[in-house]
Amino acid sequence: MNASFQPSRRGLLATAAGFGLSLQLLAVPAMAADGELNKKKVIVVICRGGMDGLSVAPPIGDADYHGLRRELAFNDTALPLDGTFALHPQLTTVHALAKAGEARIVPAVATPDRARSHFEAQDVLETGAAGVYSTTSGWLNRAVETLLAHRKVDAISIGPTAPLLLRGKVQTASWSPGRGVDAEARLPSLLQDLYRNDPLLGPALARGLATETMAKEATAGLTGAPPAGMMGMVGGGNPAGGVRPGAGGAQAGREAARTLGESLAGFMREPGGPTVAAISLDGFDSHANQAGLLNGRLAYLDAVLDGVHTGLGPEWKNTVVVVATEFGRTARTNGTAGTDHGTGSTALLLGGALKPGGIVGDWPTLKQNALFENRDVAPTVDMRGLFKGVLAEHMGVDRAALDTAVFPSSAAVKPVAGLV
């Protein structure tokens, strides 16, 4: 590894240890660096659990929005973007960046998978393949491998385990000071998938999860981020593992998240430091008590992004951040003030290198005949096309490599243009 990294590595590792996190470092050969492309940075944030796009960027100007969302609908508290869309009230940093032309939303995006299973959808999201379990490497690792043919590239990931997104031929080294993934946290998600269509057991499980959620909130006295136990039960959907803050006040959680983002930014800001990064955040599976759960999770996400933005300093102008999730939620609320597994969700694009503009893609509306399978936001953007657009325009990956090596058998999926 490049010796010039060492002081910042120790600082970041110490910070990570304080959060009980793990850090994985992709070790790649040192190569001669020249040209503006060597300054470009890309960060991918995976929000595990199926993040509700209609809460991230509520289409408050859509005529059918309030009728579908009922008690989960936003009114004056949402942060307006344009005549149709706003942002969740907790996404204050994202909103400020959007107003400055440095953040955009992709309000109807999805992977090719339509199974609505956390495990299958996350596999497709991270491998970049057209089908589930068709490859064992991640698209971001393959992108790094492609870039290495032309210049020096280092990449890091933060989380209890190295995400599939960054696994592959490029050799990895890992450091795990804190706890690993809680294996028991996967059980509720498995049960939710198993009983999703069962008319008796499905609602019974949802009611049980809602009851546990309320009990844990009451005992924890929580005002922001959900406690660790709740993250496992209601904020599940975590087959690959991600950053999972423990119990504590909302302000403490936001400060921890901001420090995490600043630490990653400091590492990437080093001369010759990593230019590719991935972060996994857990807890977005909102079957019950969605409003309270997402208040905490989106506040944490916003604080991480705030830390990255401020921590990168002048390097922000060379950076694009992509925030994505494995699938969206149902357009209608369920009987426990939550939503169930869906299809189209909302991705976020941020960075000083981003081209200012409106929404990315087309909005299909929430009209009855426009919903996918009469229940979900219909996707208009293929997630692979979004990632391709960032890699092509920002990192300089050529189309042939994108269509074959990075995203296998995807020539029919065009890169989204006009992002940077």
Side-chain angles (χ1 to χ4, degrees):
M1 295 180 183
N2 192 323
S4 67
F5 285 10
Q6 295 304 320
S8 291
R9 274 204 183 111
R10 286 195 292 268
L12 181 57
L13 297 183
T15 301
F19 295 118
L21 305 179
S22 306
L23 181 143
Q24 322 293 332
L25 180 65
L26 284 175
V28 295
M31 301 178 66
D34 56 15
E36 287 300 310
L37 280 176
N38 295 80
K39 300 178 182 179
K40 304 300 184 183
K41 307 181 193 303
V42 62
I43 301 171
V44 180
V45 181
I46 301 295
C47 295
R48 300 188 184 279
M51 183 170 66
D52 179 35
L54 295 180
S55 290
V56 172
I60 56 177
D62 189 301
D64 296 282
Y65 166 70
H66 285 85
L68 287 170
R69 279 288 152 135
R70 304 196 309 270
E71 69 268 32
L72 293 180
F74 291 93
N75 293 301
D76 296 339
T77 58
L79 307 172
L81 289 175
D82 57 27
T84 300
F85 290 97
L87 285 171
H88 190 283
Q90 295 292 345
L91 295 176
T92 55
T93 295
V94 178
H95 186 252
L97 290 171
K99 290 301 183 182
E102 296 181 350
R104 299 172 69 179
I105 63 171
V106 192
V109 64
T111 72
D113 181 75
R114 297 290 180 267
R116 301 189 184 95
S117 160
H118 291 296
F119 298 91
E120 294 185 7
Q122 287 184 26
D123 179 88
V124 173
L125 171 66
E126 297 189 68
T127 63
V132 66
Y133 308 134
S134 58
T135 182
T136 58
S137 62
W139 65 263
L140 193 54
N141 186 287
R142 297 193 297 271
V144 169
E145 183 182 8
T146 299
L147 291 169
L148 280 172
H150 308 286
R151 62 185 188 270
K152 176 185 180 294
V153 181
D154 286 317
I156 64 174
S157 69
I158 294 179
T161 60
L164 176 57
L165 183 69
L166 278 175
R167 297 177 197 166
K169 291 182 180 178
V170 178
Q171 184 180 0
T172 65
S174 63
W175 187 81
S176 302
R179 66 171 185 261
V181 176
D182 179 6
E184 293 183 0
R186 300 174 65 172
L187 179 59
S189 294
L190 288 169
L191 291 175
Q192 288 164 3
D193 286 341
L194 181 62
Y195 298 130
R196 173 163 52 92
N197 296 318
D198 189 297
L200 177 62
L201 296 178
L205 177 61
R207 286 193 297 271
L209 294 176
T211 301
E212 175 160 354
T213 297
M214 290 185 286
K216 288 183 180 295
E217 285 182 331
T219 56
L222 191 67
T223 58
M230 174 180 162
M231 298 293 289
M233 292 304 295
V234 178
N238 178 41
V243 175
R244 179 178 299 188
Q251 184 60 35
R254 281 191 290 268
E255 289 301 322
R258 187 174 292 107
T259 301
L260 173 61
E262 290 172 348
S263 298
L264 173 61
F267 200 24
M268 299 185 77
R269 198 176 59 235
E270 279 286 302
T275 55
V276 176
I279 304 176
S280 296
L281 302 180
D282 292 343
F284 290 89
D285 197 15
S286 51
H287 288 277
N289 189 35
Q290 178 170 296
L293 187 148
L294 288 185
N295 274 341
R297 298 315 295 133
L298 292 177
Y300 191 90
L301 169 64
D302 191 75
V304 169
L305 297 173
D306 184 26
V308 169
H309 169 233
T310 57
L312 280 173
E315 291 303 312
W316 178 251
K317 70 178 183 295
N318 297 316
T319 303
V320 171
V321 181
V322 185
V323 180
T325 190
E326 69 261 36
F327 49 60
R329 317 294 298 188
T330 50
R332 299 178 183 85
T333 60
N334 61 25
T336 57
T339 54
D340 299 315
H341 298 176
T343 307
S345 187
T346 297
L348 300 175
L349 292 172
L350 309 95
L354 197 65
K355 181 181 292 184
I359 70 168
V360 177
D362 298 321
W363 175 238
T365 79
L366 296 175
K367 294 183 182 299
Q368 183 64 43
N369 61 3
L371 295 179
F372 179 73
E373 296 185 348
N374 191 37
R375 50 172 282 163
D376 306 332
V377 173
T380 63
V381 176
D382 189 311
M383 191 80 74
R384 294 170 298 173
L386 180 64
F387 294 146
K388 280 185 178 185
V390 173
L391 292 175
E393 296 185 348
H394 186 57
M395 301 299 286
V397 181
D398 67 76
R399 177 69 186 273
L402 289 171
D403 290 347
T404 57
V406 182
F407 299 95
S409 303
S410 67
V413 181
K414 296 180 180 180
V416 175
L419 300 179
V420 299

